[in-house]
Amino acid sequence: MGASTLSLPAFAAAIFLFLANNVWHCHGITRHYTFDVRLQNVTHLCKTKTMLTVNGKFPGPPIVAREGDQVVVKVVNHVQNNVSIHWHGIRQMGSQWADGPAYVTQCPIQSNHSYVYNFTIKGQRGTLFWHAHISWLRATLYGPMIILPKKHEPYPFPKPHEEKTIIFGEWWYNDTEAVIRQALQSGGGPNVSDAYTFNGFPGPLYNSCTGAKGLEDTYKLKVKPGKTYLLRLINAALNDDLFFSIANHTMTLVEADAVYLKPFETDILLIAPGQTTNVLLKTKPIPSHTSYLMAVSPYFTGSGTFDNTTAAAILEYEMPPKLSSIHKIINVTSKDLPRLPSVNDTSFVANFRNKFRSLNNAKYPVDVPQKVDKNFFFTVGLGTSPCPKNQTCQGPNNNTKFAATVNNISMALPSTAMLQSHFFGQNDGVYKTNFPQFPLKEFNYTGTPPNNTNVMNATETVVIPYNTSVEVVMQDTSIVSAESHPLHLHGYNFYVVGEGYGNFNPNKDPAKYNLVDPVERNTVAVPSGGWVAIRFRADNPGVWFMHCHFEVHISWGLRMAWIVLDGKLPNQKLPPPPADLPKC
């Protein structure tokens, strides 16, 4: 047969269709996605449950783009719950209305409505993730964001043979909305998850009804001998820091929160909810057997209940014919698990965190503010609220409710979007602008807690001028219990310039700051019984949420918001809202 040709109208139509789906900009293309939020039956550990999903998948579908690309995601809500989606770690420069947290950036998408999230990825590459940002819907509504470098732009580490993504999450038999609703009503701690998961699979260590050692519920990572793999690791669990290890293998960390690192080796890593970590895994040239267990288990230092289980997955070697004599053994017993730290091994955590450094080379320089315009000192931790009259509560300290705070303020979310109120100058009755720069009352933050642990409830914000250089010291407290808190700042990356245990000393600790190659992140864990200092330049106008990434703590009020004012130039101003912005 001869070569076929398109008629001129058909050719023009084909070109138009291509351009419509791949609109070229000066730095990239436009990538279109549709997210249909629907109920879907999912079965794990011998139980089928109906859960919210995106496009019927759990975890949800990946967003794949390159640095410089425009990403357009139409989210259609087919369920009864209000929904919003956050693109965790995306700076949203010029696309502030696409950030996603309900009642902060936007009103949620109501049932049978849709919203188009439209943003361009500027100056970022690496692994991030997307997730629901309202109530506890993040339990099942999450998925990876893979941001590749620009075309022909190499990684600053050896090119991997292949790339794999692993999202750590949780499996809940119960409806998580009912779990947090009951906890907020009783004032006590919520029930915990039933299993941890690798890409949605709980693995072989949990009870299985099939007698097949749970292998049908197990994620398998297939690799070839003597190759290097880039593993993109994401912690999407609701309430748990997780240790991760692969039996008899070492990993090289090369990236955290979509920022390249000075590489370092470890056989165990810790990853907090909201954090991402990229590692290089070099497989064995001649493995002793063809299957090794991977495992996650929790790191927890607080009081109360938590999911104290271990989830496993299988690293499975695909053997070439010359090595086919190696007998295939799938080890699924606890004795074959990799070594993991004890649940409260804070010394391991401190040593691990101290290894993180930015590359800080000519191509990927560090831009940490050397001078600070505004200093803030925030206490972060738990507290209590009085039990309502004629009600019995299950919180601490004799019939109280659990609460959580920043500077003893437990943030109440408004009933309309704060960003919209800010843009139109209609914040009256929505939020106030006098969030305290320092704690209103000083006390021995990590020592004996004060007698009065009651919190204040308010919707307060910090207002700062455009381009302000900011330092925030976040201090954990021993009120109720000392605990690690993964703090996430929307709209920004920040530099972690210092951290330590005990109370922050403003006269001594700043002298030990790392202002040369500090790690750059979007989520940092405030050490249990300690403090962390971060710096950033407020170059992104808007209203930006900052909160603990434990869902139980954000539900109890450990959240606040920054308002960054417009700059003088047109590209330093908050753009008007899109026409389809959801209404409350």
Side-chain angles (χ1 to χ4, degrees):
M1 293 179 66
S4 61
T5 59
L6 285 174
S7 66
L8 189 58
F11 177 76
I15 289 294
F16 176 81
L17 185 62
F18 173 82
L19 291 175
N21 288 285
N22 297 279
V23 181
W24 281 92
H25 293 269
C26 55
H27 297 297
I29 65 171
T30 299
R31 299 177 185 264
H32 291 269
Y33 293 86
T34 298
F35 277 14
D36 286 307
V37 180
R38 297 183 183 275
L39 293 173
Q40 179 74 31
N41 287 339
V42 178
T43 302
H44 284 305
L45 301 180
C46 309
K47 181 172 181 179
T48 300
K49 64 175 289 187
T50 302
M51 62 168 63
L52 271 66
T53 64
V54 167
N55 299 348
K57 297 179 180 179
F58 170 66
I63 295 284
V64 181
R66 289 192 181 276
E67 178 186 351
D69 284 355
Q70 182 183 13
V71 176
V72 180
V73 187
K74 182 178 182 180
V75 177
V76 187
N77 184 6
H78 300 278
V79 299
Q80 293 304 307
N81 307 72
N82 288 341
V83 171
S84 71
I85 302 293
H86 171 51
W87 317 95
H88 184 110
I90 295 292
R91 293 266 344 249
Q92 301 296 359
M93 302 285 284
S95 52
Q96 291 87 337
W97 302 95
D99 191 46
Y103 303 109
V104 179
T105 298
Q106 64 169 91
C107 297
I109 307 166
Q110 298 179 24
S111 183
N112 298 318
H113 287 71
S114 64
Y115 179 47
V116 176
Y117 292 91
N118 189 336
F119 54 90
T120 299
I121 301 167
K122 300 177 181 179
Q124 294 183 272
R125 82 292 304 163
T127 303
L128 296 171
F129 74 122
W130 59 263
H131 60 79
H133 212 303
I134 181 170
S135 191
W136 280 26
L137 300 190
R138 182 166 72 83
T140 61
L141 293 180
Y142 63 82
M145 293 189 68
I146 312 300
I147 305 170
L148 302 171
K150 293 177 181 178
K151 279 192 174 181
H152 313 299
E153 190 76 48
Y155 293 130
F157 46 78
K159 184 179 179 181
H161 169 70
E162 203 171 341
E163 301 183 10
K164 304 284 188 178
T165 301
I166 301 176
I167 307 185
F168 307 124
E170 294 159 329
W171 174 253
W172 295 74
Y173 287 132
N174 296 320
D175 174 14
T176 52
E177 291 301 279
V179 168
I180 184 56
R181 189 164 54 244
Q182 190 274 335
L184 292 177
Q185 184 177 357
S186 72
N191 290 336
V192 300
S193 58
D194 296 285
Y196 297 114
T197 58
F198 284 74
N199 288 343
F201 292 97
L205 300 183
Y206 297 101
N207 291 331
S208 172
C209 60
T210 64
K213 294 185 178 180
L215 295 183
E216 76 289 347
D217 252 346
T218 301
Y219 171 69
K220 294 181 182 178
L221 173 61
K222 296 187 177 182
V223 297
K224 295 178 179 177
K227 301 290 185 182
T228 298
Y229 291 82
L230 179 67
L231 305 185
R232 299 176 179 269
L233 308 175
I234 301 165
N235 186 351
L238 287 187
N239 295 311
D240 295 286
D241 297 323
L242 293 172
F243 295 115
F244 170 70
S245 186
I246 305 174
N248 302 114
H249 288 73
T250 299
M251 299 167 283
T252 301
L253 274 72
V254 294
E255 179 196 302
D257 289 0
V259 180
Y260 296 133
L261 298 174
K262 285 185 171 71
F264 68 91
E265 288 190 353
T266 185
D267 58 349
I268 304 168
L269 62 83
L270 176 73
I271 183 168
Q275 291 184 334
T276 59
T277 305
N278 282 7
V279 302
L280 294 178
L281 173 68
K282 194 168 185 178
T283 57
K284 299 174 181 296
I286 305 178
S288 57
H289 51 277
T290 58
S291 297
Y292 297 85
L293 284 185
M294 305 183 287
V296 291
S297 66
Y299 165 62
F300 183 77
T301 60
S303 60
T305 57
F306 64 101
D307 183 352
N308 192 14
T309 63
T310 298
I314 294 174
L315 181 74
E316 183 172 296
Y317 278 78
E318 297 180 308
M319 307 305 294
K322 63 181 180 179
L323 297 177
S324 60
S325 61
I326 296 178
H327 182 56
K328 184 174 182 179
I329 303 172
I330 296 178
N331 302 308
V332 296
T333 62
S334 57
K335 68 182 178 65
D336 298 307
L337 285 171
R339 180 180 68 88
L340 290 167
S342 62
V343 69
N344 60 350
D345 193 343
T346 294
S347 62
F348 170 86
V349 172
N351 291 332
F352 176 72
R353 284 161 55 103
N354 285 334
K355 296 177 182 178
F356 284 71
R357 296 285 186 274
S358 289
L359 272 183
N360 191 24
N361 57 23
K363 191 163 191 177
Y364 302 104
V366 160
D367 188 28
V368 59
Q370 300 294 310
K371 295 183 179 180
V372 173
D373 301 320
K374 282 272 192 181
N375 284 279
F376 296 87
F377 184 86
F378 291 166
T379 56
V380 295
L382 304 184
T384 58
S385 291
C387 188
K389 290 182 179 180
N390 304 318
Q391 182 180 333
T392 300
C393 294
Q394 298 171 5
N397 303 341
N398 298 323
N399 206 23
T400 60
K401 287 191 169 191
F402 274 109
T405 74
V406 181
N407 276 354
N408 204 44
I409 294 177
S410 183
M411 181 183 180
L413 285 179
S415 56
T416 189
M418 297 171 71
L419 182 62
Q420 194 170 347
S421 303
H422 165 66
F423 181 83
F424 291 108
Q426 298 172 342
N427 63 300
D428 246 8
V430 179
Y431 62 83
K432 295 181 180 178
T433 57
N434 54 354
F435 190 92
Q437 191 171 345
F438 302 96
L440 298 176
K441 290 184 179 179
E442 292 186 14
F443 60 97
N444 183 1
Y445 305 116
T446 55
T448 303
N451 291 329
N452 183 0
T453 61
N454 283 346
V455 307
M456 295 182 290
N457 293 280
T459 310
E460 301 278 7
T461 62
V462 171
V463 180
I464 51 176
Y466 180 83
N467 222 30
T468 301
S469 294
V470 177
E471 177 178 308
V472 188
V473 175
M474 292 180 283
Q475 172 75 59
D476 185 34
T477 76
S478 58
I479 297 176
V480 180
S481 67
E483 193 168 342
S484 176
H485 298 279
L487 264 291
H488 172 48
L489 175 60
H490 289 230
Y492 287 91
N493 280 359
F494 49 76
Y495 291 98
V496 182
V497 297
E499 60 184 275
Y501 288 89
N503 294 338
F504 174 75
N505 186 327
N507 298 316
K508 295 182 179 180
D509 288 325
K512 296 178 283 188
Y513 282 177
N514 176 10
L515 300 179
V516 177
D517 60 352
V519 66
E520 184 181 349
R521 306 208 70 142
N522 64 58
T523 303
V524 65
V526 180
S528 177
W531 57 272
V532 65
I534 67 172
R535 288 186 180 183
F536 65 95
R537 188 168 286 104
D539 59 357
N540 196 5
V543 179
W544 301 110
F545 211 18
M546 189 173 83
H547 60 87
C548 183
H549 224 271
F550 291 152
E551 288 303 309
V552 60
H553 291 173
I554 192 174
S555 297
W556 287 340
L558 209 169
R559 52 198 178 190
M560 54 86 63
W562 299 81
I563 295 180
V564 178
L565 300 176
D566 285 352
K568 295 179 180 179
L569 301 178
N571 66 342
Q572 299 171 349
K573 297 183 185 300
L574 177 65
D580 66 335
L581 188 71
K583 295 178 173 57
C584 288

